[in-house]
């Protein structure tokens, strides 16, 4: 772990309900000069051969997202934050400065300015990010907290701490369940994280007494953190009925919003838990990459079970997300990425392996993503030819997958 320099006492920054910062000047390189600028606009002139010192926009934005996630993790832990800022934040600031110089655009002058910029939609940035795999309406922060966009970009760059935690925890769960020949425990673990991103301490204790979860009690507790102080008001912790996650306050302390951007019913108030009795909240990276796609996985399994289709969730310890039919099985990997271009990049790098016995294989996009972006599948297939119709793995919507399964059932009847 990188060592931190202990600052004087007046360099401490108190953390509140949102990310807060202290101004720190950016180091200015002196030997570089912008090339081929067009004054008065944030858009650069076309450059077939960009200068060697110019950083790639994808890397800069993803590095900024990683720095925000790291900083948010420190803020969520409570207590006081000590400078310096995470290295990724400072590096992103320096590299955005180079992009701004090259485009003759105003550059953020400090990490504080950078975080304020991260609150704005990319369409409002004066620095052009046409090659950064982001949509104009997306932002990295909302209400001072990382967005799903930030999570996705951070995972592409390598949110190292988050990926280590998620991968180490899920590997430990799979190893222990496999050693005990208890796939039902692995399934119970996944279902708990999907259905209860926030859970009262007493409720969690009672669930861990159930046989399927008792085996993984330690790993379950590692998956949760105490609800943050900003979630507590009037002695209670508020939850959302749409996703069973937390509702957090806006700056006016009177408006409460679901923290999950992919929640299917974010305006629905859930149970209020007494704060004094303890409330646990699933870790950030698990909420993004386990809970969000997991809602679609459980919906698919429930719908197909009602149709009488044999269905298995996470068979063979997560060989895929959903497998249907016993003979000539169909398998599916369910995705809940907000941006289809970023998902395409991830799939190009790492498409799941299809077993030889599988008749068909699918990338299934959850209904929340398709509703939010009607052209989601068109954009995904264009950016990732490996999942176009006719390929071994085909990208479809949640509804299209269910219809295809139903059609096969009806043809076999």
């Amino acid at each position: 772990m990188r060592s931190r320099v202990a600052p004087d006492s007046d360099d401490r920054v108190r953390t509140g309900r949102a990310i807060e910062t202290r101004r720190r000047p950016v180091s200015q390189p002196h030997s570089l000069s912008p090339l081929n600028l067009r004054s008065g606009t944030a858009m650069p002139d076309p450059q077939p051969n960009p200068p060697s010192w110019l950083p790639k926009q994808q890397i800069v934005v993803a590095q900024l997202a990683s720095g925000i996630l790291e900083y948010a993790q420190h803020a969520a832990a409570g207590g006081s934050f000590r400078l310096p800022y995470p290295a990724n934040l400072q590096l992103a600031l320096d590299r955005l400065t180079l992009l701004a110089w090259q485009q003759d655009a105003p550059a953020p002058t400090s990490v504080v300015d950078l975080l304020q910029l991260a609150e704005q939609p990319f369409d409002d940035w004066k620095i052009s990010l046409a090659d950064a795999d982001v949509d104009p309406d997306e932002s990295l922060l909302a209400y001072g907290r990382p967005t799903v966009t930030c999570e996705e970009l951070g995972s592409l760059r390598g949110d190292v701490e988050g990926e280590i935690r998620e991968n180490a925890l899920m590997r430990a769960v799979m190893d222990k369940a496999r050693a005990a020949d208890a796939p039902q425990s692995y399934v119970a673990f996944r279902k708990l994280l999907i259905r209860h991103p926030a859970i009262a301490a007493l409720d969690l204790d009672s669930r861990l007494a159930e046989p399927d979860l008792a085996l993984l009690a330690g790993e379950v507790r590692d998956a949760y953190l105490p609800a943050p102080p900003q979630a507590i008001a009037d002695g209670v912790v508020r939850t959302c009925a749409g996703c069973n996650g937390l509702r957090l306050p806006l700056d006016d302390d009177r408006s409460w919003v679901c923290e999950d951007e992919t929640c299917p019913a974010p305006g629905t108030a859930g149970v209020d838990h007494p704060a004094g009795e303890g409330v646990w909240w699933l870790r950030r990276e698990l909420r993004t990459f386990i809970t969000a796609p997991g809602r679609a996985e459980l919906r698919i399994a429930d719908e197909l079970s009602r149709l009488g289709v044999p269905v298995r969730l996470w068979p063979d310890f997560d060989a895929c997300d959903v497998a249907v039919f016993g003979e000539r099985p169909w398998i599916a990997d369910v995705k809940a990425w907000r941006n289809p271009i970023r998902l395409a990049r991830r799939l190009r790098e790492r498409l799941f392996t299809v077993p030889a016995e599988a008749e068909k294989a699918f990338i299934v996009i959850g209904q929340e993503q398709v509703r939010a972006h009607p052209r989601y599948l068109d954009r995904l297939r264009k950016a990732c030819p490996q999942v176009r119709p006719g390929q071994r793995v085909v990208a479809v919507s949640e509804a299209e997958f269910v219809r295809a399964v139903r059609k096969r059932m009806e043809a076999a009847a």
Side-chain angles (χ1 to χ4, degrees):
M1 180 176 293
R2 185 177 66 255
S3 61
R4 295 189 179 275
V5 178
D8 296 334
S9 59
D10 60 353
D11 281 336
R12 296 181 182 180
V13 180
R14 298 297 301 177
T15 58
R17 70 168 54 98
I19 289 180
E20 300 175 6
T21 59
R22 183 183 178 90
R23 290 189 177 271
R24 184 184 183 194
V26 61
S27 56
Q28 300 282 356
H30 298 291
S31 60
L32 303 178
S33 59
L35 301 179
N36 196 23
L37 300 181
R38 178 168 42 160
S39 179
T41 176
M43 295 296 294
D45 289 330
Q47 293 193 28
N49 297 304
S52 59
W53 51 263
L54 190 67
K56 292 185 177 180
Q57 296 175 13
Q58 285 181 350
I59 294 176
V60 175
V61 175
Q63 193 163 40
L64 173 56
S66 294
I68 289 173
L69 293 173
E70 185 179 351
Y71 188 29
Q73 188 68 29
H74 288 295
S80 59
F81 179 81
R82 291 176 176 269
L83 297 175
Y85 292 112
N88 275 327
L89 276 181
Q90 189 64 48
L91 286 170
L93 175 60
D94 293 342
R95 290 172 178 177
L96 272 173
T97 298
L98 295 179
L99 289 175
W101 285 352
Q102 194 264 346
Q103 298 177 21
D104 197 21
T109 60
S110 67
V111 172
V112 171
D113 287 344
L114 186 60
L115 294 175
Q116 291 174 346
L117 187 62
E119 290 266 6
Q120 301 177 22
F122 288 111
D123 195 38
D124 292 345
W125 287 38
K126 302 303 181 184
I127 303 171
S128 172
L129 297 172
D131 298 326
D133 290 349
V134 294
D135 287 339
D137 63 335
E138 294 183 305
S139 65
L140 297 175
L141 286 168
Y143 311 119
R145 305 179 188 97
T147 61
V148 170
T149 296
C150 190
E151 296 276 2
E152 292 178 1
L153 287 165
S155 74
L156 288 170
R157 167 60 173 78
D159 173 16
V160 178
E161 290 187 5
E163 287 197 356
I164 287 175
R165 279 194 306 270
E166 180 189 353
N167 293 340
L169 177 62
M170 299 307 295
R171 176 58 57 189
V173 169
M174 284 190 280
D175 288 348
K176 183 176 285 190
R178 185 180 284 113
D181 192 23
Q184 72 279 3
S185 291
Y186 181 73
V187 171
F189 175 85
R190 296 282 295 244
K191 286 183 175 180
L192 177 69
L193 271 54
I194 295 165
R195 290 173 173 157
H196 300 283
I199 188 169
L202 290 176
D203 189 11
L204 183 60
D205 290 342
S206 66
R207 291 178 183 276
L208 291 180
E210 299 171 0
D212 288 344
L213 282 174
L215 174 68
L216 301 171
E219 288 73 19
V220 169
R221 294 194 183 280
D222 286 344
Y224 287 88
L225 294 171
Q230 62 265 31
I232 303 172
D234 303 322
V236 299
V237 176
R238 293 166 170 81
T239 67
C240 171
C243 63
N244 290 326
L246 294 185
R247 288 191 298 148
L248 301 177
L250 300 183
D251 291 339
D252 61 9
D253 286 330
R254 296 188 301 272
S255 303
W256 294 77
V257 296
C258 176
E259 59 81 30
D260 188 343
E261 295 178 49
T262 65
C263 176
T268 310
V271 177
D272 291 347
H273 298 293
E277 296 180 5
V279 178
W280 297 99
W281 196 23
L282 197 63
R283 289 183 179 274
R284 168 183 52 78
E285 64 277 4
L286 296 172
R287 298 196 307 270
T288 299
F289 297 111
I290 299 295
T291 304
R295 285 194 288 265
E297 293 160 2
L298 294 186
R299 281 196 304 264
I300 291 170
D302 290 343
E303 176 67 19
L304 297 182
S305 294
R306 284 193 290 270
L307 295 175
V309 179
V311 56
R312 292 184 296 157
L313 287 167
W314 315 292
D316 301 323
F317 298 98
D318 210 22
C320 63
D321 293 327
V322 179
V324 295
F325 305 119
E327 297 180 1
R328 299 181 296 118
W330 291 7
I331 64 172
D333 191 13
V334 181
K335 300 296 184 183
W337 286 59
R338 185 186 190 279
N339 184 293
I341 306 304
R342 289 193 292 272
L343 174 57
R345 178 144 57 101
R346 172 54 62 92
L347 293 177
R348 291 196 304 268
E349 296 170 355
R350 192 167 62 196
L351 193 62
F352 76 103
T353 302
V354 181
E357 67 273 14
E359 182 181 63
K360 291 187 178 181
F362 302 86
I363 294 293
V364 178
I365 306 303
Q367 66 181 20
E368 294 88 353
Q369 287 67 44
V370 175
R371 287 173 180 171
H373 302 278
R375 294 189 59 251
Y376 192 110
L377 285 166
D378 291 338
R379 295 179 65 194
L380 175 61
R381 292 164 180 159
K382 181 177 180 180
C384 184
Q386 296 94 320
V387 296
R388 292 176 182 171
Q391 299 297 319
R392 182 67 170 116
V393 180
V394 179
V396 297
S397 69
E398 181 180 334
E400 287 172 336
F401 179 71
V402 172
R403 284 198 299 269
V405 173
R406 182 187 291 114
K407 184 176 180 181
R408 174 173 162 177
M409 279 288 293
E410 293 171 348

